Amino acid sequence: MSPARSQAGCACGACRYRIDMPALDDVAICHCGECRRSTGGTHVTWASVPRAAFQWTGVEPHCYRPASGGERYFCPACGAHLALWTPLAPDTLDVTVSTLDHPERHPPDRHIWVSSRLPWVSLNDGLAQEDEETLPPRESR
């Protein structure tokens, strides 16, 4: 097994995970309504990683399956939202960048679902903006 490159976990420390890959190269800020409702934030920053590079190392999280499809993983103790799986990209898992031990090392490169953003959220950071989400080429995921 390759050495762990990124470690992460929830607020209380019960749910931990590891990502075994040298860099997280698909980081996006999502503005969709489902992410807002499930996290309680105005937007959430996700890093997409290959499922094969991801491993839970602490308590197994709970899984919520929204009517829209997919799976959202959260800590059963503190409720922190940790990861998302969507059938749109079945070989990847999206992890919340803020749960990484060093989130500052993984800046976003784009905004997605800008068409759903709250009107009072200002996007003046110079990042690319996508009305919905355009998945990067498979070799990048």
Side-chain angles (χ1 to χ4, degrees):
M1 180 186 333
S2 63
R5 307 298 177 138
S6 295
Q7 304 247 355
C10 65
C12 73
C15 288
R16 297 284 301 163
Y17 64 89
R18 158 176 93 216
I19 302 167
D20 293 317
M21 57 187 292
L24 305 182
D25 59 1
D26 180 21
V27 181
I29 301 170
C30 184
H31 296 270
C32 80
E34 188 173 309
C35 282
R36 290 196 317 263
R37 284 185 300 278
S38 65
T39 65
T42 58
H43 50 277
V44 62
T45 306
W46 297 103
S48 296
V49 301
R51 288 187 79 136
F54 180 91
Q55 181 179 4
W56 295 111
T57 59
V59 171
E60 287 285 321
H62 281 184
C63 178
Y64 167 67
R65 291 177 177 86
S68 61
E71 299 173 345
R72 290 181 177 268
Y73 298 94
F74 61 95
C75 175
C78 69
H81 196 157
L82 302 165
L84 162 69
W85 174 81
T86 173
L88 297 174
D91 298 330
T92 65
L93 194 67
D94 294 337
V95 298
T96 50
V97 170
S98 60
T99 62
L100 294 168
D101 289 352
H102 297 285
E104 70 279 2
R105 296 180 185 167
H106 309 285
D109 53 11
R110 61 193 173 118
H111 290 270
I112 57 175
W113 293 101
V114 172
S115 61
S116 300
R117 79 174 168 82
L118 295 170
W120 43 264
V121 171
S122 177
L123 302 181
N124 58 1
D125 54 15
L127 297 177
Q129 297 180 20
E130 299 174 14
D131 282 341
E132 293 184 1
E133 180 179 15
T134 305
L135 295 175
R138 188 164 252 342
E139 56 274 2
S140 297
R141 288 188 271 145

